[in-house]
């Protein structure tokens, strides 16, 4: 028999304890609203949550390494997330990014060029800092003479698209178009470069990536500012370095977190409150994170009333909640829901270290892996192991195609090992261990979603808010920063409903002056041409 809690003076409920949910709940707790947070998993954090350690026995000693969903980068423009951490004295250790390679495989031939430092240190202003790559002989060697002759045409097309359109506000103009549509007719080598960039940046096959989402990715991370391309790697386990301190800060401020509880449906109550149905998914309070619980949550299922509800779950979880309630299902069934994608994370340990031209990179051509990160150059536990043994470790990600991800673990490990050894043949015969993690299909294929068919922070249901890295919002941010921004925006909505002042969001650095000028010129030209076409069509 389930347990029911229906007190009318009920606090807000936040469903999901990832970055979005914790950012929202922390703001609400600071305002004295004492929010409850439901998390279906045993650990908080979403894709930043911790995972069981991987132990390697080597040279007569045991070495423990963090098991995560994948290494995380914190970009310069992650201003709200960094401000949130600073506000609560959370200072995770970071390793600054230095270089990123583009590696292309074609049978026995492997070509490579370091691009990251060339772009970030370009003397040319944005958006022309990409021209610095033309001074990189390795980059030029990737292309045929004919391809090089077509570079101005290709670059001009990409420049015009990225500068004339702000996808977060006008993405409906590109609705239905994918990156593959943009690349139609491009030379193979240039297509390979953009395909690799799209797959590496948006974690999916370029043929499925929304064109507006890809343009938004370029604009936020690199196109409009050179310094926007700078970032740091998180040097420790994300669960203990970031999530545990956030949960501790939430508890200290008066919030409650209940793990192992999944919200299943919403039902409206008289007076404007919501009744939230829930079920238990596992034991509460599992793991190292400080979790507040109460006897109310010991049952297998039940209900709880909430003055306001913030859905901070992933897209599949949010869809499941909204399509199960009688009051929310009709409209939820007509909404556009983004695709959720799985991923495979492979880690390999070697008894020696390769000659590194860059600590990470993206892969193209006939490589199976989409990118790689040399962990002994980035994360503290791996650095300690490297210093003691001269060993190395690499993390590689595989995002697509779906039929590839369906292969057995042993087959995917063999393909990843083959790719790494092609790129770093000096490691042959030195592999010590391998580990494969399958991330579930919860990472959403980013789509801009500027219309009401895409769920936004303010939902069609009064008293229900949404946040997450997939939620419609005018902010240019993506990924972790978008999760944080929409979490704070949802909190502001709840605060306003309670008659409390909102907390301002940290603004982003705007385009460099030349990029801003060209943006105005291109956008004006596009709108002028549109007016001409409409006039001619009358």
């Amino acid at each position: 028999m389930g347990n029911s809690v229906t007190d009318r003076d009920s606090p807000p409920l936040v469903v999901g304890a990832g970055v979005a949910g914790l950012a929202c709940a922390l703001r609400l707790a600071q305002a004295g609203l004492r929010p409850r947070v439901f998390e279906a998993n045993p650990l908080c954090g979403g894709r930043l949550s911790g995972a069981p350690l991987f132990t390697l026995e080597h040279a007569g000693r045991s070495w423990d390494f963090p098991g995560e969903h994948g290494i995380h980068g914190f970009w310069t423009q992650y201003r709200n997330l960094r401000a949130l951490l600073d506000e609560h004295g959370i200072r995770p250790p970071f390793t600054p990014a230095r270089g990123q390679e583009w590696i292309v495989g074609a049978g026995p031939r492997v070509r490579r060029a370091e691009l990251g430092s060339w772009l970030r240190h370009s003397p040319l202003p944005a958006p022309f800092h990409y021209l610095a790559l033309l001074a990189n002989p390795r980059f030029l060697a990737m292309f045929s003479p004919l391809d090089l002759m077509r570079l101005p045409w290709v670059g001009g097309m990409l420049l015009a698209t990225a500068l004339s359109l702000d996808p977060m506000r006008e993405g409906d103009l590109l609705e239905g178009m994918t990156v593959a549509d943009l690349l139609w007719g491009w030379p193979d080598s240039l297509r390979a470069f953009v395909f690799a960039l799209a797959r590496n940046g948006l974690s999916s096959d370029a043929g499925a990536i929304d064109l507006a989402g890809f343009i938004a990715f370029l604009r936020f991370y690199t196109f409009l500012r050179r310094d926007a391309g700078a970032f740091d790697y998180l040097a420790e386990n994300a669960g203990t370095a970031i999530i545990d301190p956030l949960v501790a800060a939430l508890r200290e401020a008066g919030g409650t977190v209940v793990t192992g509880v999944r919200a299943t449906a919403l039902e409206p109550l008289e007076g404007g409150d919501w009744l939230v149905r829930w079920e238990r998914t596992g034991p509460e309070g599992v793991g190292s994170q400080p979790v507040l619980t109460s006897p109310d949550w010991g049952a297998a299922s039940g209900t709880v009333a909430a003055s306001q509800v913030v859905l901070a779950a992933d897209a599949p979880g949010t869809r499941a909640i909204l399509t199960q309630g009688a009051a929310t299902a009709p409209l939820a069934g007509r909404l556009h829901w983004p695709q959720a994608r799985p991923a495979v994370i492979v880690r390999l340990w070697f008894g020696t270290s390769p000659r590194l031209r860059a600590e990470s990179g993206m892969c193209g051509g006939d490589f199976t892996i989409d990118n790689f990160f040399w962990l002994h150059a980035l994360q503290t536990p791996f650095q300690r192991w490297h210093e003691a043994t001269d060993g190395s470790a690499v993390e590689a990600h595989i995002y697509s195609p779906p039929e590839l991800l369906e292969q057995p673990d042993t087959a995917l490990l063999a393909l990843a090992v083959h790719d790494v050894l092609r790129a770093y043949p000096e490691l042959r015969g030195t592999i010590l261990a391998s580990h494969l993690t399958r991330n579930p299909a919860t990472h959403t294929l980013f789509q801009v979603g500027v219309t009401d068919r895409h769920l936004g922070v303010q939902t069609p249901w009064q008293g229900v808010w949404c946040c997450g890295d997939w939620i419609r919002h005018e902010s240019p941010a993506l990924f972790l920063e978008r999760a944080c921004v929409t979490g704070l925006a949802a909190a502001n909505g709840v605060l306003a409903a309670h008659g409390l002042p909102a907390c301002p969001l940290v603004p982003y650095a705007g385009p460099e002056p030349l990029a801003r000028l060209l943006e105005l010129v291109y956008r004006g030209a596009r709108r002028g041409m549109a007016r001409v076409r409409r006039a001619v069509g009358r």
Side-chain angles (χ1 to χ4, degrees):
M1 182 176 178
N3 178 62
S4 297
V5 180
T6 57
D7 53 298
R8 295 309 307 274
D9 294 326
S10 49
L13 176 67
V14 179
V15 179
V19 168
L22 291 176
C24 177
L26 197 47
R27 278 285 184 263
L28 298 179
Q30 290 174 307
L33 296 183
R34 305 181 68 84
R36 295 185 179 114
V37 180
F38 281 0
E39 172 53 52
N41 295 311
L43 292 176
C44 300
R47 285 187 290 277
L48 281 187
S49 64
L53 295 175
F54 177 82
T55 301
L56 174 65
E57 303 288 341
H58 178 61
R61 181 176 170 183
S62 295
W63 300 85
D64 290 331
F65 300 98
E68 297 186 73
H69 297 268
I71 194 167
H72 300 283
F74 283 66
W75 297 72
T76 302
Q77 289 276 59
Y78 283 13
R79 295 190 167 199
N80 286 274
L81 179 56
R82 290 178 184 266
L84 179 70
L85 298 178
D86 288 343
E87 179 183 349
H88 296 281
I90 302 172
R91 295 179 175 83
F94 289 119
T95 301
R98 293 179 294 276
Q100 292 78 46
E101 278 193 297
W102 175 34
I103 300 183
V104 178
R109 186 184 181 192
V110 174
R111 293 169 294 165
R112 62 204 314 149
E114 197 282 310
L115 309 180
S117 63
W118 284 76
L119 290 177
R120 286 193 292 273
H121 300 144
S122 171
L124 300 174
F128 295 117
H129 55 305
Y130 274 83
L131 293 176
L133 297 179
L134 299 181
N136 184 333
R138 288 184 175 272
F139 177 74
L140 296 178
M142 298 287 220
F143 305 100
S144 70
L146 180 60
D147 290 347
L148 292 175
M149 292 175 61
R150 298 181 69 179
L151 268 178
W153 171 74
V154 169
M157 180 188 298
L158 193 58
L159 188 75
T161 304
L163 290 177
S164 67
L165 184 69
D166 182 355
M168 295 302 185
R169 300 175 185 272
E170 307 171 284
D172 53 334
L173 297 178
L174 298 176
E175 192 167 14
M177 298 182 65
T178 69
V179 173
D181 295 323
L182 174 69
L183 303 183
W184 186 85
W186 285 29
D188 288 344
S189 54
L190 295 174
R191 285 169 55 89
F193 174 66
V194 179
F195 266 117
L197 183 63
R199 292 174 64 178
N200 182 66
L202 295 169
S203 307
S204 184
D205 185 74
I209 291 175
D210 179 64
L211 179 57
F214 178 62
I215 297 300
F217 161 77
L218 288 180
R219 286 171 59 91
F220 183 67
Y221 284 107
T222 177
F223 216 80
L224 302 180
R225 296 188 62 88
R226 285 164 291 179
D227 57 4
F231 66 100
D232 302 307
Y233 294 99
L234 186 60
E236 295 285 355
N237 181 292
T240 56
I242 293 178
I243 300 303
D244 286 358
L246 282 177
V247 174
L250 174 59
R251 177 182 64 176
E252 185 176 354
T256 302
V257 179
V258 188
T259 59
V261 168
R262 174 187 291 117
T264 58
L266 306 180
E267 297 177 8
L269 293 171
E270 292 184 8
D273 281 10
W274 287 87
L275 190 70
V276 182
R277 298 194 177 276
W278 58 267
E279 63 184 14
R280 179 157 289 286
T281 60
E284 54 185 327
V286 176
S288 64
Q289 296 168 26
V291 177
L292 288 182
T293 60
S294 74
D296 297 332
W297 315 115
S301 63
T303 59
V304 60
S307 59
Q308 303 272 314
V309 177
V310 178
L311 298 179
D314 53 48
T318 301
R319 182 179 189 178
I321 293 169
L322 291 176
T323 54
Q324 289 302 310
T328 57
L331 182 54
R334 296 194 295 270
L335 291 174
H336 173 85
W337 295 92
Q339 301 177 45
R341 296 281 178 155
V344 168
I345 312 299
V346 174
R347 286 182 169 180
L348 306 174
W349 285 258
F350 298 92
T352 187
S353 298
R355 297 182 295 275
L356 294 184
R357 300 170 179 86
E359 75 275 12
S360 66
M362 62 183 188
C363 300
D366 59 9
F367 274 96
T368 298
I369 60 175
D370 290 299
N371 52 31
F372 61 91
F373 308 87
W374 286 101
L375 299 175
H376 65 281
L378 302 174
Q379 293 193 326
T380 305
F382 295 91
Q383 290 170 342
R384 295 194 189 107
W385 179 67
H386 167 72
E387 291 168 0
T389 67
D390 194 38
S392 60
V394 68
E395 175 178 300
H397 300 176
I398 305 174
Y399 301 129
S400 62
E403 58 270 19
L404 173 64
L405 299 184
E406 293 172 359
Q407 294 195 28
D409 290 2
T410 52
L412 291 174
L413 280 171
L415 290 170
V417 170
H418 177 69
D419 281 351
V420 172
L421 294 181
R422 288 172 67 197
Y424 299 90
E426 64 269 30
L427 295 177
R428 294 186 186 278
T430 68
I431 189 167
L432 299 175
S434 62
H435 183 257
L436 183 144
T437 300
R438 290 184 180 269
N439 289 347
T442 57
H443 174 77
T444 47
L445 181 58
F446 182 73
Q447 293 178 304
V448 172
V450 296
T451 68
D452 290 340
R453 293 190 301 109
H454 298 256
L455 200 59
V457 172
Q458 184 173 4
T459 76
W461 305 280
Q462 186 174 359
V464 179
W465 310 84
C466 280
C467 55
D469 61 4
W470 57 279
I471 290 295
R472 173 170 57 87
H473 190 263
E474 65 180 12
S475 167
L478 279 80
F479 307 132
L480 287 175
E481 176 69 2
R482 190 171 192 82
C484 182
V485 166
T486 55
L488 298 175
N492 283 340
V494 175
L495 293 174
H498 283 267
L500 297 171
C503 299
L505 300 178
V506 180
Y508 299 106
E512 292 184 29
L514 180 57
R516 178 58 179 161
L517 175 61
L518 290 174
E519 190 177 40
L520 294 173
V521 170
Y522 274 100
R523 189 169 299 166
R526 175 178 61 81
R527 291 174 176 172
M529 292 175 63
R531 286 194 295 269
V532 170
R533 284 195 296 267
R534 286 196 297 269
V536 171
R538 289 173 183 168

